Amino acid sequence: MNRVYDVIVVGAGQSGLATGYYLRQAGLSFLILEAGDEAVGSWPYFYDSLSLNSTARYSSLPGLPFPGDPDHYPVRDEAVAYLRRYATHFDLPIVTNTPVDRIERKGQLFHLATANNRHYVARAVVAATGFFGRPHMPEIPGQSRYRGQVLHAADYRRPEPFQGQRIIIVGGANGAVQIGTELAQVARVTLAARHPIRYLPQRVLGRDIHFWLTLSGLDRTQWLNEKSPPVYDTGAYRAAIATGRPEQKPMFSHFTEQGVVWGDGRHEAVDTVIFATGYQPNLPYLTGLGALDSRGRALQRKGASTSVPGLYYVGLMRQRSVASATLRGVGSDAKMVVNSLRHYCHTQQVARLRRAREMSLARQVRIWNARGNELVGLINLITLALQQQLATGKPAAPKLLGEALGRSLLVGAGFLGVGHAAALYSRS
Ligand SMILES: Cc1cc2nc3c(=O)[nH]c(=O)nc-3n(C[C@H](O)[C@H](O)[C@H](O)COP(=O)(O)OP(=O)(O)OC[C@H]3O[C@@H](n4cnc5c(N)ncnc54)[C@H](O)[C@@H]3O)c2cc1C
Ligand SMILES: NC(=O)c1ccc[n+]([C@@H]2O[C@H](COP(=O)([O-])OP(=O)(O)OC[C@H]3O[C@@H](n4cnc5c(N)ncnc54)[C@H](OP(=O)(O)O)[C@@H]3O)[C@@H](O)[C@H]2O)c1
């Protein structure tokens, strides 16, 4: 028999860890299942030069401040070290090397099957598997004919392998601009974007932009609506693009065997095309639950599935606000989801108790039904005995009559008892 947990969290990146922090506080029984061999999420796979776009002060998960000078911009490996420390500091129950393959809902319970043939059962599930595992690769006309190298930004690590190449980067957000500027040091690079690049000053009046976003409350809203985020810039990216390293152009129209054709009809040979076109929710294990729309996006509101009771999400892009899928913002989303979960688990427990009481009452009624039938049989027997006595003038066995009468009274009292219990129950 598998142990039934209140909650199982899938994924032990920052979203799963922040959820674990609040589940511990809520006193719910839980487990965090992680596909990788460490609870550090996707951070080790981001490119080598990446630094956080917020200062340490605005990069903490709940309960443990990001270490170092609060005004410095941590690099990728500091984020990895911080997450590693977070998991051990709070001693969260994480099972690594356990990729969840499939989730089924049977009755009120979720059954989770893993790729390493394990099986877990929970009353509720939190999907916290981020988006890095599912890069978005748009279909551009002619792409299948192109013989050059095609990559996604998720595959990019460092510039050296691209020395001297002609490269196009598709996209005009943070990934495209950062990778493009870095590659422009060693290669000829063009950013191909659907719109002019939008910038956001990294610092305003000597303070990191997140100070102002927090102060104004904008960070807790959907202020960008469906637009991709603007590029955080100290001025260096704008200056680099102004000098053409990298150059920026409107999106090309299609691929050819050797390269691409630009909007003005000019053909250009290209060695590598990198799609910095973002990501999609990484939720394949939910297929079959009726939890996703036709594009694989979660049907949810404020982190609660709108189609599957007991299923929750933490860390979806813009789940609740522009900060939902960031270190600084995931904590408050996790807190809200755990509050809903606590309520859900409590309601489930009350329903379970009620069902148990109903079942025990139904069993009692069945037993007393059987007794009732026996009583009718006994009354028939007494009637027969009395008829016999009247017919023959001989007294029926007094012992039999005494026993039968005693039993009838007992069964009658039993009926009264069950009736009384049922009345009490229906009033409760
Ligand atoms: C290039 C890049 C730079 C970013 N920079 C910043 C930044 O500067 N500041 C900031 O705040 N945010 C940044 N983000 C956004 C966000 O903070 C990160 O994407 C972060 O990794 C999201 O954390 P997560 O826990 O939601 O997902 P992830 O970190 O992706 O963690 C998900 C975890 O789930 C596991 N998993 C996946 N599938 C399964 C499965 N089926 N079963 C079990 N486990 C599974 C994975 O192994 C992984 O450990 C950046 C994102 C990218 C892509
Ligand atoms: N720490 C950092 O500094 C840092 C660095 C990189 C990334 N990140 C984070 O990582 C996440 C992903 O960033 P990202 O820049 O990779 O992706 P993104 O923010 O989702 O932006 C995707 C870009 O691709 C474009 N695009 C999408 N489909 C396209 C298509 N079919 N044709 C042409 N262009 C298309 C989008 O254009 P439209 O706007 O027209 O849709 C947008 O410019 C974000 O959360 C970001 O904040 C952070």
Side-chain angles (χ1 to χ4, degrees):
M1 232 347 227
N2 281 297
R3 170 170 178 191
V4 179
Y5 292 91
D6 287 327
V7 184
I8 286 185
V9 180
V10 188
Q14 65 201 38
S15 302
L17 296 178
T19 308
Y21 173 85
Y22 285 113
L23 284 171
R24 168 76 42 81
Q25 287 200 339
L28 295 170
S29 65
F30 71 101
L31 211 54
I32 307 177
L33 304 182
E34 165 56 42
D37 53 13
E38 260 202 299
V40 289
S42 298
W43 284 91
Y45 307 103
F46 297 168
Y47 44 91
D48 293 353
S49 63
L50 185 102
S51 63
L52 268 61
N53 53 27
S54 54
T55 52
R57 187 191 305 280
Y58 297 105
S59 303
S60 302
L61 296 178
L64 188 68
F66 202 105
D69 176 357
D71 289 321
H72 87 293
Y73 291 91
V75 296
R76 177 197 67 184
D77 292 344
E78 287 179 80
V80 174
Y82 171 66
L83 293 178
R84 196 176 282 136
R85 201 173 128 227
Y86 194 88
T88 48
H89 183 81
F90 293 109
D91 192 23
L92 296 172
I94 298 164
V95 186
T96 54
N97 297 307
T98 304
V100 173
D101 242 6
R102 203 178 60 255
I103 303 185
E104 282 178 61
R105 198 164 194 271
K106 296 181 187 163
Q108 302 299 313
L109 298 178
F110 289 93
H111 292 250
L112 294 86
T114 72
N116 51 350
N117 294 322
R118 296 204 199 139
H119 181 218
Y120 296 88
V121 185
R123 300 186 210 291
V125 166
V126 178
T129 41
F131 48 81
F132 195 69
R134 194 162 163 239
H136 169 53
M137 286 290 263
E139 269 294 309
I140 309 287
Q143 195 166 328
S144 56
R145 280 188 293 148
Y146 176 57
R147 295 230 214 95
Q149 180 174 218
V150 176
L151 298 174
H152 189 274
D155 305 313
Y156 175 76
R157 294 288 172 277
R158 56 194 72 87
E160 288 77 15
F162 300 90
Q163 186 85 36
Q165 289 193 6
R166 173 74 184 102
I167 300 172
I168 290 178
I169 301 184
V170 180
N174 286 281
V177 170
Q178 288 186 11
I179 294 171
T181 308
E182 182 165 277
L183 279 174
Q185 307 299 312
V186 301
R188 212 188 122 215
V189 182
T190 302
L191 304 179
R194 293 195 286 210
H195 54 74
I197 293 169
R198 294 184 292 271
Y199 295 95
L200 188 67
Q202 181 74 66
R203 299 190 71 80
V204 176
L205 301 176
R207 288 192 185 261
D208 178 59
I209 186 70
H210 296 95
F211 168 81
W212 303 102
L213 293 177
T214 310
L215 194 71
S216 61
L218 271 177
D219 214 28
R220 307 262 29 104
T221 69
Q222 296 278 8
W223 62 290
L224 293 168
N225 299 317
E226 284 306 302
K227 284 188 183 159
S228 54
V231 175
Y232 290 95
D233 189 20
T234 57
Y237 295 132
R238 204 191 275 261
I241 289 169
T243 64
R245 296 183 64 191
E247 114 187 283
Q248 196 214 332
K249 280 183 145 195
M251 184 61 191
F252 55 87
S253 64
H254 60 276
F255 277 98
T256 64
E257 265 189 36
Q258 270 77 41
V260 303
V261 176
W262 294 103
D264 58 8
R266 202 167 55 85
H267 176 260
E268 196 176 2
V270 178
D271 299 302
T272 299
V273 175
I274 301 178
F275 282 92
T277 41
Y279 301 84
Q280 290 175 313
N282 179 28
L283 303 163
Y285 52 93
L286 296 181
T287 312
L289 266 185
L292 310 176
D293 70 10
S294 56
R295 289 166 61 191
R297 293 174 309 187
L299 301 164
Q300 59 88 31
R301 200 172 161 273
K302 291 185 177 166
S305 169
T306 49
S307 56
V308 182
L311 176 62
Y312 293 82
Y313 302 90
V314 173
L316 295 177
M317 201 92 83
R318 295 185 195 167
Q319 178 166 311
R320 205 158 63 99
S321 72
V322 285
S324 283
T326 68
L327 282 163
R328 68 184 185 281
V330 72
S332 61
D333 281 20
K335 186 177 184 181
M336 188 182 204
V337 161
V338 171
N339 273 341
S340 305
L341 263 168
R342 196 167 33 186
H343 183 254
Y344 175 81
C345 288
H346 176 70
T347 315
Q348 288 282 302
Q349 194 182 7
V350 170
R352 269 199 313 283
L353 285 174
R354 197 178 173 84
R355 271 197 305 278
R357 281 162 67 189
E358 275 166 5
M359 267 164 68
S360 100
L361 189 70
R363 225 181 77 230
Q364 293 289 337
V365 169
R366 267 200 312 280
I367 292 170
W368 286 100
N369 247 339
R371 290 276 182 282
N373 289 337
E374 289 165 17
L375 185 63
V376 172
L378 204 56
I379 291 168
N380 286 342
L381 193 69
I382 296 168
T383 319
L384 260 175
L386 289 174
Q387 280 172 347
Q388 172 101 6
Q389 183 174 352
L390 282 176
T392 59
K394 284 193 195 153
K399 240 180 155 184
L400 168 72
L401 273 178
E403 179 78 1
L405 248 124
R407 295 234 164 223
S408 310
L409 285 175
L410 245 159
V411 174
F415 272 119
L416 277 177
V418 171
H420 186 62
L424 281 180
Y425 177 78
S426 64
R427 247 185 277 147
S428 71

